[in-house]
Amino acid sequence: ISQNFRWGGGTLTATLNNNRQTTSNLTALFNPQFNTNWSFQYNQPLLRNFSIDGQRQQLAVTTINRDISEIQLQALTINTVSNVRNAYWDYVFATQSVEVARQSVALAEQLVGDNQTRVEIGTMAPIDVVQAQSQAATQRQNLATAEGTRRTAELTLKRLIVGGTSDPNWSSTIVAVDRPDFVPAPINVADAVRRGLENRTDLQQARKNLQVNDIALKLLQNQTLPQVDVAARYGFVGIGGTSFERQPGGGVNAPIIATYPGGYTDAVSTLVNGLYPNWNLTLNISYPLGTNAAQANLARARIQESQVQAQMKQIELQIATDITNAATQVQNNVERVQAAQSARDFAQRTLEAEQSKFEVGMSTNYFVVQAQRDLATAQNQELQAVLGDRPP
C-alpha cells in the first residue's frame, strides 16, 4: 500500500510479504520455513520534488483544464444567447419590414383608385393611372420579397430555440412581442473596458493557459535543484516452521536430536510480538555536473512564458480597442437613429403635402409616387438604425 502526500512530496509505503520455503539443505534450521515481513517506509525529498513534482503538476493542470472547460461552456452559452437575440431582432426587423411594405402597397393602391376616379370624371389622363398601377405592382413585389425574408428569419430563429422537428414550436408561428425601444443612454467607456477585461471568456481562458505555463515553469525550475532525499524504514520480521534441535557441540552438521513442529502461525506470532524489529535511515544525494537538460528546458520555458505574457497584453489591448470602438459605434448609431427618425418624419410630411397638392392639381402623379417611395425607404432605414444596422 502506497500513499503520496500533497505537501512536501513524501511517499509512505506499507508492505506485507509472506512466503514459504523448503530446502534440501541439511544445515537448515527450519524446513519448511514460513517468513512474514511487515515494514513501513517513508521517502521525503528535501530539494528536488519537494514543492512540486510531475504528479502534482498533472493534478494542478487537470484542475485548470476543468476551469478552462467551464469557461468554454460559458462562452458557448453566451454565444448561443447572443445568436438567439440577434436572430430574434432580425425577425423583428423582417416583420416590421413587412408592415412597411403593406403600408406602401395600401398607399399605392389608394393612389390607383383615386387616379381611376379622376380619369372617370375627366380630370386626369389615363397614362397617370398606368404609372400608379406600375408603382402598386412594384410595392406588391417588395411585399412578397419582405414576406419571404420574414419566413427565412423565422426559420433561422426556430432552429436556435427548438429541439427538433417534433417540437410543437417548430410548426407554430412566432409572434414578435418585444419591439426595439430607442432610449439613448450615456456610456462609461472606462467601466466598460474594465468589465470587459474581467469578464471576457477569451481573456479568462488565456489567463488559465498562463497559469498552466507558470506551473510547468515551476516544475522545470524545481528539477534544476540537487536531488536530496531522506528515507526512513521500520519493520518487523516473523519466522516460523518446523525447527530442528541438533546435538550440542556438533556444529551445523551435528545430527538432529529433536524436531519441533511449527507453521505459519508461529511466523505471525513472532511478527506481532515484535521479536525481530529492524530499521534504517538513508540519505541520498545526487547532483549533475555541468549544464543539464533541466536547465535548457527551464530557459526555453521562460522564453515561452515571456511570449505568452506579450500575447496577453495584446489580447487586453484588442479587447480595450473593441470596446472603445463599440462605444463609438453606439454613439454614432444614436445620432444615426435620430437622423433617420427626422428623415422619416420629413418623408411622411412630404408625402402628405404632395397628396394635398395632387388633390388640388398643384402636383403630379410622379411626385406622389416618388414621395411614397421615399417614405418606404426612410421607414426601412429607421428600422435598420434602431436594430443596429442589420441588413434586410
Side-chain angles (χ1 to χ4, degrees), residues 108-342:
E109 291 178 348
Q110 181 181 358
L111 181 61
V112 171
D114 293 342
N115 288 352
Q116 288 176 345
T117 301
R118 290 183 176 87
V119 170
E120 291 176 357
I121 63 178
T123 60
M124 179 176 288
I127 189 62
D128 291 330
V129 177
V130 175
Q131 185 179 11
Q133 290 175 339
S134 176
Q135 173 64 13
T138 301
Q139 295 300 337
R140 284 192 294 268
Q141 182 180 1
N142 293 337
L143 176 59
T145 302
E147 287 284 1
T149 302
R150 183 192 63 80
R151 287 190 291 268
T152 301
E154 183 180 14
L155 289 176
T156 302
L157 178 59
K158 285 182 177 180
R159 286 185 58 186
L160 294 173
I161 63 176
V162 302
T165 55
S166 59
D167 194 314
N169 292 326
W170 175 254
S171 56
S172 301
T173 300
I174 297 178
V175 178
V177 178
D178 294 335
R179 295 303 174 95
D181 186 14
F182 176 69
V183 180
I187 299 177
N188 191 327
V189 179
D191 288 344
V193 172
R194 178 182 55 81
R195 290 194 300 270
L197 295 178
E198 292 176 355
N199 301 324
R200 279 282 292 263
T201 55
D202 53 348
L203 185 58
Q204 292 178 3
Q205 186 171 345
R207 288 170 179 166
K208 291 295 181 180
N209 291 329
L210 183 60
Q211 292 180 9
V212 172
N213 291 337
D214 291 340
I215 294 174
L217 182 62
K218 182 179 179 181
L219 174 64
L220 293 174
Q221 187 173 5
N222 180 266
Q223 294 304 303
T224 61
L225 298 176
Q227 183 78 36
V228 180
D229 297 342
V230 60
R233 182 180 180 278
Y234 190 86
F236 303 94
V237 178
I239 301 176
T242 301
S243 60
F244 306 103
E245 182 181 355
R246 299 183 183 274
Q247 184 176 356
V252 295
N253 294 323
I256 299 173
I257 60 176
T259 301
Y260 302 99
Y264 177 71
T265 56
D266 298 326
V268 174
S269 177
T270 57
L271 175 71
V272 173
N273 293 326
L275 300 180
Y276 308 108
N278 62 82
W279 63 272
N280 61 67
L281 183 65
T282 306
L283 180 65
N284 299 318
I285 301 176
S286 65
Y287 184 79
L289 299 178
T291 304
N292 55 24
Q295 293 176 341
N297 293 333
L298 177 60
R300 186 184 303 109
R302 284 174 175 171
I303 295 175
Q304 292 176 350
E305 185 181 31
S306 299
Q307 294 174 347
V308 173
Q309 290 177 348
Q311 293 174 357
M312 284 280 297
K313 293 184 180 298
Q314 290 295 325
I315 295 175
E316 293 175 353
L317 181 60
Q318 184 63 44
I319 291 175
T321 303
D322 292 342
I323 293 176
T324 304
N325 288 336
T328 303
Q329 185 65 31
V330 168
Q331 183 61 36
N332 293 337
N333 285 342
V334 168
E335 297 175 358
R336 181 186 173 190
V337 170
Q338 293 172 345
Q341 289 177 340
S342 298

Side-chain angles (χ1 to χ4, degrees), residues 375-386:
L375 176 59
T377 301
Q379 288 174 331
N380 284 323
Q381 290 178 348
E382 180 186 9
L383 290 176
Q384 292 177 4
V386 172

Side-chain angles (χ1 to χ4, degrees), residues 76-87:
L76 179 61
T77 303
I78 292 174
N79 291 334
T80 301
V81 172
S82 177
N83 292 336
V84 172
R85 184 180 290 114
N86 291 336

